[in-house]
Amino acid sequence: MRRIVLDTETTGLEPEQGHRIIEIGCVEILDRRITGNTWHRYLNPQREIDAEAIEVHGLTNEELADKPLFAEIAEELVTYLEGAELVIHNAPFDVGFLNHELKMLGASSIGTIEDHCTVLDTLLMARRKHPAQRNTLDALCSRYEVDNTHRVQHGALLDAQILAEVFLRMTGGQVTLGLDAASGDGQGAGGASARPCLADLPRPPVLRASEAERARHDQYCENLRKAAGGRCAWDPAGSEAAPPDLA
């Protein structure tokens, strides 16, 4: 299955109040491996960024003045996402902003994000797995031992990379590419790591019953036969061959 871990940064919290997307970061997971195929864009929001939002992600209007508009990258984004399952932490927020941006394109044939992808919300998944606990991305990093010490501020691509690692550990701990070996633009590849599989574990010891234990077992079976008025369905007594002595 092809999954895309997606995150956005915005000018504020409410698209209905005119807030816009200023950064989109995507990380591809194919067959439960982070492939290194990322998609990342900064965008000119054509409006002021709230001071509270700048404190979160550190992006300013001056830095984004020469970046493309959402309308210029919309088809490229949808082509990259087409047919994938989107993995998003607090999906209603990001999907709501993406659909608001698509709606602002006017008479567009693109439609909504859900017309092109399915969506999996890792916040809801984490709340089911860890009820009554904090399930922020930072809390999940601590719980699943994902290194996020380089996350000084929020960033769409950085957060998508971290969430990809968290998602794989939260859903089974399959082989992933380490973040610490990735290049600054998220395109690099690192060494693979994996948790032990069952084949790597030692065989449990076989403990055989003593003669006294066998005698007590035979007496227990005899008592059951008497209580049942004859041979029980599970009882090997009287069969042509005794059951095998399993190693």
Side-chain angles (χ1 to χ4, degrees):
M1 174 183 285
R2 182 173 183 258
R3 293 184 170 98
I4 301 296
V5 184
L6 180 146
D7 188 62
T8 65
E9 299 299 337
T10 63
T11 63
L13 299 178
E14 298 293 341
E16 293 78 9
Q17 295 178 10
H19 287 292
R20 306 289 301 274
I21 294 175
I22 57 177
E23 185 186 6
I24 304 173
C26 302
V27 173
E28 182 184 62
I29 297 177
L30 188 61
D31 297 329
R32 295 193 58 77
R33 290 178 181 267
I34 299 173
T35 66
N37 175 19
T38 63
W39 193 95
H40 181 222
R41 296 291 184 277
Y42 290 108
L43 302 172
N44 184 342
Q46 297 184 293
R47 62 152 290 155
E48 290 296 312
I49 304 173
D50 284 1
E52 294 84 356
I54 295 175
E55 290 181 5
V56 172
H57 50 60
L59 297 173
T60 65
N61 287 97
E62 291 75 21
E63 293 173 303
L64 301 174
D66 62 343
K67 304 306 180 187
L69 306 181
F70 182 88
E72 298 176 58
I73 58 88
E75 291 189 7
E76 180 187 348
L77 171 63
V78 170
T79 298
Y80 176 82
L81 300 179
E82 188 70 49
E85 179 181 63
L86 298 188
V87 178
I88 306 174
H89 203 65
N90 192 18
F93 178 86
D94 300 89
V95 172
F97 263 96
L98 288 167
N99 283 338
H100 180 73
E101 293 282 358
L102 292 173
K103 184 178 179 181
M104 291 178 64
L105 298 179
S108 169
S109 60
I110 294 179
T112 66
I113 286 296
E114 294 92 337
D115 293 330
H116 303 273
C117 312
T118 58
V119 179
L120 186 152
D121 189 345
T122 53
L123 179 58
L124 292 181
M125 178 187 297
R127 285 172 175 170
R128 294 190 195 103
K129 290 176 68 71
H130 311 289
Q133 298 184 54
R134 294 181 69 249
N135 289 298
T136 63
L137 184 54
D138 285 336
L140 292 176
C141 284
S142 177
R143 189 170 300 142
Y144 289 100
E145 299 181 345
V146 172
D147 181 15
N148 68 337
T149 54
H150 50 307
R151 188 187 187 229
V152 179
Q153 288 183 307
H154 289 223
L157 182 59
L158 174 60
D159 287 2
Q161 290 171 325
I162 292 173
L163 180 58
E165 295 278 0
V166 167
F167 170 75
L168 289 173
R169 296 195 184 195
M170 186 163 59
T171 57
Q174 304 303 92
V175 175
T176 67
L177 297 181
L179 290 180
D180 54 354
S183 65
D185 60 359
Q187 300 286 346
S193 61
R195 292 185 178 182
C197 65
L198 290 179
D200 299 324
L201 300 177
R203 283 188 68 180
V206 177
L207 302 179
R208 299 184 182 278
S210 66
E211 289 300 323
E213 289 170 331
R214 286 176 180 268
R216 288 197 297 271
H217 174 72
D218 291 343
Q219 184 59 54
Y220 178 77
C221 291
E222 181 61 29
N223 293 338
L224 286 180
R225 291 187 202 102
K226 291 179 180 179
R231 181 177 172 230
C232 300
W234 51 265
D235 189 359
S239 63
E240 294 181 1
D245 186 13
L246 298 179

